[in-house]
Amino acid sequence: WNLEGRFQGQLDVPLNDTGMDQVRLFAETLAEKKFCALYSSDLLRARQTAEIVAGRVNLPIKLDSRLREIFQGEVEGLLFSEVKEMFGHSLFERSENPVHSRMPGGESVAEIAERFKAAMDEIACAHPSEPVLVATHGLVIATMICRVRGYPMETVYSHIPENATAEVITWNP
């Protein structure tokens, strides 16, 4: 769906073969590292990622729906061109106000940043000073990057990482 330019959001789309290969390669980089816990979004593509990683780091997976990607509402599953045609005003609003705007029926970046913060605060309190793995989604990670590195949340869309990559952060609740 990434290559097709579809809005995924919270649709439960599995990883394709390329995604699975990317995760397998990424998991190899974690094999010699020590972690105390592995958390994952409950969406299938994140769970598949966590399952592959869990096999390399020998940890059980703790699912948390607060780690889900942004809910895109009525545009989930649509191509960018379709969204532009049908909901162009929402795309314009998102470019003007990326933090508080939302696709029709969806949630805002501010809302996902708060739900993710709550999850991360809880995880950090459960594992103080211990390294933890979290398998989640691009825009969710971008909100974390903005918060931790002091970037304006308005720049969130420019901080979405590549698929199957790590962001190493220190989270202070």
Side-chain angles (χ1 to χ4, degrees):
W1 281 31
N2 290 331
L3 292 176
E4 291 177 11
R6 291 192 182 275
F7 283 70
Q8 290 182 65
Q10 293 185 8
L11 286 180
D12 221 3
V13 179
L15 293 174
N16 64 14
D17 291 339
T18 300
M20 295 292 275
D21 289 343
Q22 289 172 332
V23 174
R24 285 185 198 100
L25 285 171
F26 170 70
E28 289 301 316
T29 69
L30 302 174
E32 301 300 318
K33 296 177 174 48
K34 294 285 185 195
F35 299 95
C36 69
L38 171 56
Y39 291 81
S40 176
S41 158
D42 61 345
L43 294 177
L44 181 58
R45 58 196 186 269
R47 281 195 338 256
Q48 288 174 308
T49 299
E51 288 166 1
I52 293 168
V53 168
R56 297 303 297 154
V57 298
N58 198 28
L59 287 170
I61 302 165
K62 299 174 184 182
L63 298 178
D64 190 327
S65 62
R66 296 173 297 177
L67 302 176
R68 284 182 170 198
E69 183 62 284
I70 190 170
F71 179 56
Q72 298 275 21
E74 294 176 36
V75 305
E76 290 195 357
L78 298 179
L79 293 167
F80 181 81
S81 60
E82 295 170 322
V83 174
K84 187 175 178 182
E85 181 180 318
M86 297 165 53
F87 301 102
H89 61 285
S90 295
L91 285 174
F92 175 77
E93 186 179 324
R94 184 173 87 174
S95 70
E96 294 294 308
N97 185 4
V99 178
H100 298 287
S101 66
R102 66 185 77 238
M103 291 293 136
E107 67 183 331
S108 69
V109 166
E111 290 167 328
I112 66 165
E114 284 309 305
R115 89 168 135 76
F116 185 65
K117 179 187 181 306
M120 291 300 292
D121 286 350
E122 189 176 303
I123 291 167
C125 288
H127 308 282
S129 303
E130 298 174 302
V132 174
L133 288 165
V134 177
T136 187
H137 307 273
L139 190 56
V140 176
I141 295 168
T143 67
M144 173 187 66
I145 290 170
C146 287
R147 186 180 301 270
V148 170
R149 297 187 182 149
Y151 302 142
M153 197 61 74
E154 289 76 17
T155 66
V156 69
Y157 287 98
S158 65
H159 299 292
I160 297 172
E162 294 293 320
N163 292 336
T165 59
E167 285 293 331
V168 179
I169 59 114
T170 299
W171 189 267
N172 296 307

